[in-house]
Amino acid sequence: MTTILRLPGDPADITLPALLLRNAEDHGDLPALSWRVGEEWSTLTWREARRKVAVLAAGYAALGVERGEHVLMMMGNRPEHWLSDLALVHLGAVPATVYGTSAPEQVAHIVRHSRARFAIVEGARELPRWEPLLADGTAPLERLVVVEAAEAGEHRTYGSLHATGSRLFDPDAFEKGWRENRPTDALTVVYTSGTTGDPKGVRLTHRNVLVGGVALDGVVEFPDHVGHICYLPFAHIAERLLGIYLPVLRAAHVYLCADPAHVAATARELHPFQFFGVPRVWEKLAASVRAALAGLPEEQRRTIEAANETARAHVACRERGEEPPDALRSAYEQAKRDVLDPLLTLAGFDRLVWTASASAPMPLDVSRFWAGFGLVIMDAWGLTETSGVVTTNSPDGFRLGSVGRPLEGLDVRIAEDGEILVRGATVFDGYLRPDGGLDDARDADGWFATGDIGRLDEDGYLWLTDRKKEMIVTSTGKNVSPALVENTLKEHPLVGQALVHGDGRSYLVALLVLDREMTPAWAAARGIDVQGDPATDEAVRAEVERAVDAANARLNRTEQIKRYRLLSEEWGPETGELTPSLKLRRRVIRDKYMQVIDGMYTP
């Protein structure tokens, strides 16, 4: 177990505020939260953080926030967000973060659905999506709190709210108030990112989250009070767990990274012990490393490749549960010392003891790439509806390509149609209704149908196939997992993103996006001068053609790509093709490129 910290009760019977009190009492001088102020880090200890939370709770109470009501937030990863979230929880209110990339209609839907009277937003970028709702008689929104004072206009500022809290703070009322929270009370509502249709509100309780957190700690070994680089949106269940709830449970140290583009630089500075990334993050990091290695002299590349193969052989022994032979162990230790560790040090990854991923199937070639540096990405699986992690690989047992085994206290089984079912204390009570009630999504025996397709092997490891609703059924009645085909196509370093289409059609087609980092490095290493759009370069197109042929050779007849189109414009959340958690918005991409897709079915 990671932590030997005192728990103020059984995990099923405590609340997050009880853990924050323990941190202030037992670990008050340790760092809790750090963020950039210019070039320096500013830090709050656990004692200071709890005091800030208490003052903010008084400020939000004076604003009119009441127990049980939902309060929306749209901010980046900044201290005002983290502290406000905990302050609202202490009041018994229910914080819900809205993705910063949400369209105005999505914001309006969430405001109406949650019946939120208050929202806390960052500044001028957010205001145009929220201000119209203040004057909309069909929306309940009454007040905005704006963090950036210079951009607040007529709205209440975060600073003035904090000042009010400082003036009105009553220690006795604060301590009495948070103790009225119950483990079965809502800790948060997480709105799904809306890959299909309107976002759904998932209500999670203190018990859901803390029972799951303790179970996860049972398979993870960390140094005490470990640091965490917090860069994913707090609207995502993964970062709510990793950046708020688990640090409070573990009395860990959160480093807020306000701009996800700076996460690699932050890792180089901090040399973290743990690092989490959704698959697209690990893909991008791998592409950057590959691009850097491609520019090295051939002799140096051969040395690194030999070290990579040694590391993969060592990981393969661990994967099989075997002790590496003495010769392999010695070779790995030398490769690690002389070649791999210096490279990892440059990336800030030399101290990692836990590398993890979740949210979507991890491409196996990406896992094997990092295994070549001795890093085993512990792929995990879960949903917002299951409070995050259900299954995970661990240093004591892993299978590359799988998402591991269930956490203690959780049951997993496979339905007749291949859908994964989950039961246990971390499964949510239900989807929030506009009237404040809940629609329980569990069956009479407590099983929740996840919508994912997969299989359990004889050792209890779960292997994902795809989302049930995203499975392609061809006109011949064959089922195809688009993720399987897409990940096979992306094994070539030039292919950064892929979308496969073919539902109701006689064959599959694909949209392929060139990798922005790897393509110039690939061309330079071969003395190719790419002018203009690389997707039109003959050498690049010929290499992609070979990549598609190689992928097709590994796929069965139904899964093979008959036609494709090569694109150079990368997909992202800002342009709408990816969710904020970097998953494909298939419907958006299909709509955007419908003419291109239809053209691939035209003789």
Side-chain angles (χ1 to χ4, degrees):
M1 179 157 175
T2 296
T3 181
I4 57 172
L5 307 184
R6 173 178 65 89
L7 288 178
D10 186 280
D13 297 326
I14 58 178
T15 64
L16 202 69
L19 289 170
L20 189 62
L21 173 62
R22 177 212 60 185
N23 291 351
E25 291 178 340
D26 295 2
H27 315 288
D29 294 329
L30 291 177
L33 186 69
S34 294
W35 65 95
R36 285 280 191 190
V37 178
E39 296 299 316
E40 303 297 326
W41 289 98
S42 183
T43 298
L44 291 175
T45 66
W46 281 108
R47 186 177 296 110
E48 292 166 339
R50 188 171 189 267
R51 171 67 184 183
K52 285 273 191 184
V53 165
V55 167
L56 281 171
Y60 284 118
L63 186 68
V65 174
E66 297 177 354
R67 177 172 296 278
E69 74 171 311
H70 302 103
V71 179
L72 303 178
M73 296 185 286
M74 183 183 275
M75 294 175 276
N77 293 20
R78 54 189 299 161
E80 296 88 350
H81 196 160
W82 196 89
L83 295 166
S84 290
D85 199 289
L86 290 175
L88 293 166
V89 168
H90 279 69
L91 286 178
V94 185
T97 298
V98 182
Y99 282 109
T101 54
S102 296
E105 57 270 20
Q106 291 176 311
V107 173
H109 166 76
I110 292 172
V111 167
R112 294 188 179 100
H113 186 267
S114 66
R115 298 168 296 121
R117 297 188 298 135
F118 304 101
I120 312 154
V121 302
E122 188 156 331
R125 182 174 176 270
E126 293 73 29
L127 285 174
R129 286 171 281 175
W130 293 86
E131 284 181 326
L133 297 169
L134 293 170
D136 187 335
T138 67
L141 193 66
E142 297 176 5
R143 297 286 299 274
L144 295 179
V145 176
V146 181
V147 174
E148 294 293 345
E151 301 171 5
E154 62 184 10
H155 303 292
R156 184 72 181 272
T157 67
Y158 175 89
S160 69
L161 184 139
H162 187 277
T164 298
S166 297
R167 188 176 69 254
L168 299 179
F169 175 60
D170 180 341
D172 293 335
F174 172 72
E175 300 296 346
K176 179 177 182 296
W178 72 257
R179 284 183 167 85
E180 294 179 18
N181 290 332
R182 297 291 176 262
T184 52
D185 288 344
L187 176 60
T188 187
V189 168
V190 179
Y191 278 89
T192 59
S193 55
T195 53
T196 57
D198 289 329
K200 293 182 178 179
V202 177
R203 177 186 182 270
L204 300 177
T205 67
H206 294 258
R207 178 174 292 167
N208 290 147
V209 169
L210 295 181
V211 167
V214 171
L216 183 59
D217 261 5
V219 297
V220 182
E221 292 292 338
F222 285 132
D224 287 342
H225 314 292
V226 68
H228 167 67
I229 300 175
C230 172
Y231 68 97
L232 292 171
F234 280 127
H236 193 292
I237 184 59
E239 197 62 272
R240 293 198 75 79
L241 284 172
L242 294 167
I244 302 176
Y245 305 140
L246 288 177
V248 174
L249 173 65
R250 297 168 174 164
H253 185 184
V254 178
Y255 292 90
L256 295 174
C257 181
D259 185 349
H262 297 160
V263 66
T266 304
R268 288 194 296 270
E269 176 187 1
L270 297 178
H271 295 259
F273 285 97
Q274 63 168 332
F275 188 83
F276 175 88
V278 296
R280 184 60 183 152
V281 169
W282 286 111
E283 288 174 353
K284 295 286 284 182
L285 290 171
S288 295
V289 174
R290 285 183 172 122
L293 297 180
L296 296 176
E298 183 177 351
E299 183 177 350
Q300 193 173 356
R301 288 203 311 272
R302 285 200 300 266
T303 299
I304 294 170
E305 288 165 2
N308 291 154
E309 289 306 311
T310 299
R312 290 189 187 100
H314 191 268
V315 167
C317 281
R318 293 174 55 199
E319 186 176 13
R320 295 191 299 268
E322 301 171 357
E323 281 292 322
D326 289 343
L328 177 58
R329 183 185 298 107
S330 177
Y332 174 64
E333 289 173 353
Q334 181 176 353
K336 190 173 186 299
R337 181 183 63 249
D338 296 344
V339 181
L340 302 179
D341 278 353
L343 293 173
L344 291 173
T345 298
L346 292 175
F349 280 179
D350 51 304
R351 297 198 300 176
L352 285 174
V353 296
W354 181 261
T355 48
S357 183
S359 181
M362 171 70 77
L364 187 56
D365 74 299
V366 177
S367 295
R368 287 175 174 156
F369 173 83
W370 289 109
F373 290 86
L375 299 180
V376 180
I377 300 175
M378 300 299 173
D379 215 358
W381 170 78
L383 297 90
T384 304
E385 291 89 341
T386 60
S387 309
V389 180
V390 173
T391 65
T392 186
N393 287 283
S394 74
D396 292 334
F398 63 90
R399 299 286 187 275
L400 296 183
S402 84
V403 290
R405 293 179 286 197
L407 297 179
E408 184 177 355
L410 289 174
D411 299 319
V412 175
R413 69 180 178 89
I414 309 298
E416 289 185 5
D417 64 355
E419 185 169 7
I420 305 167
L421 309 180
V422 179
R423 182 173 64 182
T426 68
V427 177
F428 76 140
D429 291 338
Y431 293 108
L432 187 69
R433 294 198 305 259
D435 65 2
L438 294 173
D439 287 327
D440 195 340
R442 300 167 295 185
D443 68 14
D445 295 320
W447 291 100
F448 171 64
T450 64
D452 281 340
I453 301 293
R455 63 179 177 87
L456 285 166
D457 67 19
E458 62 275 10
D459 296 318
Y461 288 88
L462 181 65
W463 300 76
L464 293 185
T465 302
D466 214 324
R467 291 291 291 168
K468 186 176 181 179
K469 62 189 175 187
E470 292 176 355
M471 292 291 287
I472 292 172
V473 182
T474 67
S475 61
T476 59
K478 301 290 187 180
N479 291 334
V480 177
S481 162
L484 181 151
V485 180
E486 289 156 2
N487 284 343
T488 304
L489 290 163
K490 290 191 298 180
E491 289 190 14
H492 193 286
L494 284 187
V495 182
Q497 295 170 304
L499 179 131
V500 172
H501 179 79
D503 206 45
R505 301 282 195 165
S506 59
Y507 59 86
L508 302 186
V509 300
L511 299 172
L512 306 179
V513 180
L514 288 172
D515 188 277
R516 191 163 53 188
E517 283 85 14
M518 192 60 204
T519 302
W522 178 90
R526 288 155 180 80
I528 300 170
D529 184 16
V530 175
Q531 299 289 333
D533 182 358
T536 63
D537 182 85
E538 289 187 10
V540 172
R541 294 177 67 84
E543 183 67 16
V544 171
E545 180 74 23
R546 287 189 285 272
V548 172
D549 289 343
N552 280 339
R554 297 176 50 201
L555 297 167
N556 67 42
R557 187 180 183 88
T558 304
E559 296 166 341
Q560 290 173 356
I561 298 300
K562 297 299 185 288
R563 294 182 178 181
Y564 67 91
R565 290 292 181 270
L566 186 60
L567 311 173
S568 56
E569 183 180 345
E570 190 173 55
W571 299 329
E574 298 79 10
T575 47
E577 300 92 355
L578 303 185
T579 71
S581 54
L582 305 183
K583 289 183 280 191
L584 292 176
R585 277 199 168 110
R586 296 181 181 277
R587 186 177 62 184
V588 171
I589 297 173
R590 285 194 295 263
D591 289 347
K592 183 175 181 177
Y593 295 96
M594 185 52 68
Q595 286 187 330
V596 176
I597 292 171
D598 286 345
M600 288 187 278
Y601 289 103
T602 302

